[in-house]
Amino acid sequence: MSGRLQDKTALVTGSTSNIGKAIAEAFAAEGAHVVVSGRNRERGKHVVEGIRAAGGQADFVEADLDGSADASRRLADEAREALGGRLDVLVNNAGIYPPGTTTTTDEKTFDQVYAVNVKAPFFLTADVAPEMARNGGGVIVNLGSWIARLGVPVGSLYSSTKGAMETLTRAWSAEFGPQGVRVNAISPGVIVPRAAEGGEPHPGEIMMKGTPFGTIGTPDAIAHAAVWLASDESAFVHGTVVDVDGGRVGAAVIAA
């Protein structure tokens, strides 16, 4: 790696597995001191140990982002403490995706998904962004989703929360950009962890047929984009949603 985040500090929510884990590992490999956060302490410790074994800096902060402002503020405070008092980069990655259609979703599930996917990052950003501005600037990267812009028969609740995050990305860019805080988002396509050798094809592959890439992506693809957005290389990028989806929402390949 090239040290693109050397001496930076970062908090990645929901980083004990999958996309969040890959982002935390990539940030640390580029020189950042990373706070790994999530509800599962054992998985968090495992991620931290892996980063440290590779020569990176990382700490774990346990957090249950239930949507309350208190939970978000508590995570922000504990992350800053672990990072020596300064937070340069926030990645709002944590989210939940319960199965179900509009007609099978009850009110409790609706409230829970919006609490975790929208309220928690909203109040975390409300705490972190002003502090970043006072410290001279910072970067916020939100996670959207390809199904926020391409309707599918299931997932209406989840997709609406990701649409909200993409809208907040633009709003926060206008609100905090003039204060030195850049806000952008990544819209992942169908992403799954790397399969073991000889493993069965993932069911998500069917959703990538007819796309330029042709198959599912891995968490590393999102991590590479996150590193770029967090680094000074993207200093002229504000309020943008970067599609990292194998061409899923932007192009169609017609088979001969």
Side-chain angles (χ1 to χ4, degrees):
M1 295 290 186
S2 58
R4 288 183 285 173
L5 301 179
Q6 194 66 42
D7 300 324
K8 299 291 187 182
T9 60
L11 165 61
V12 184
T13 67
S15 47
T16 61
S17 65
N18 207 4
I19 290 174
K21 176 176 179 285
I23 293 173
E25 291 172 340
F27 278 16
E30 290 287 354
H33 182 178
V34 181
V35 162
V36 174
S37 74
R39 291 175 293 180
N40 190 306
R41 178 170 290 275
E42 289 306 311
R43 290 197 309 186
K45 288 173 63 178
H46 180 72
V47 175
V48 167
E49 288 168 0
I51 289 173
R52 291 177 178 174
Q57 289 183 280
D59 292 282
F60 176 69
V61 174
E62 187 174 356
D64 183 3
L65 293 175
D66 59 7
S68 67
D70 284 345
S72 292
R73 283 194 293 265
R74 184 163 55 250
L75 173 57
D77 288 341
E78 293 181 9
R80 281 190 289 260
E81 182 178 356
L83 296 169
R86 181 186 178 97
L87 178 58
D88 299 311
V89 182
L90 167 64
V91 180
N92 284 312
N93 168 73
I96 55 175
Y97 186 173
T101 64
T102 300
T103 57
T104 60
T105 298
D106 58 33
E107 186 175 7
K108 180 179 178 181
T109 301
F110 184 100
D111 290 343
Q112 181 185 26
V113 174
Y114 262 85
V116 175
N117 293 10
V118 182
K119 283 186 67 180
F122 184 95
F123 287 113
L124 187 55
T125 298
D127 184 286
V128 166
E131 185 72 13
M132 285 179 171
R134 285 191 289 270
N135 288 334
V139 176
I140 297 173
V141 179
N142 298 319
L143 269 291
S145 174
W146 66 277
I147 65 171
R149 277 170 289 141
L150 184 66
V152 296
V154 295
S156 58
L157 177 58
Y158 176 82
S159 65
S160 70
T161 67
K162 290 305 179 178
M165 288 308 298
E166 293 189 7
T167 297
L168 284 170
T169 295
R170 292 182 284 271
W172 287 338
S173 179
E175 184 174 355
F176 299 117
Q179 302 172 43
V181 180
R182 288 194 300 111
V183 186
N184 292 288
I186 300 169
S187 177
V190 183
I191 302 291
V192 297
R194 292 188 182 280
E197 289 295 325
E200 292 295 319
H202 191 276
E205 290 185 7
I206 191 67
M207 291 186 283
M208 290 301 290
K209 290 189 179 297
T211 67
F213 192 70
T215 188
I216 55 180
T218 65
D220 290 343
I222 310 305
H224 294 319
V227 167
W228 177 66
L229 286 175
S231 74
D232 292 339
E233 294 171 1
S234 62
F236 200 50
V237 181
H238 287 256
T240 293
V241 179
V242 179
D243 292 324
V244 186
D245 63 1
R248 185 65 183 87
V249 301
V253 175
I254 301 175

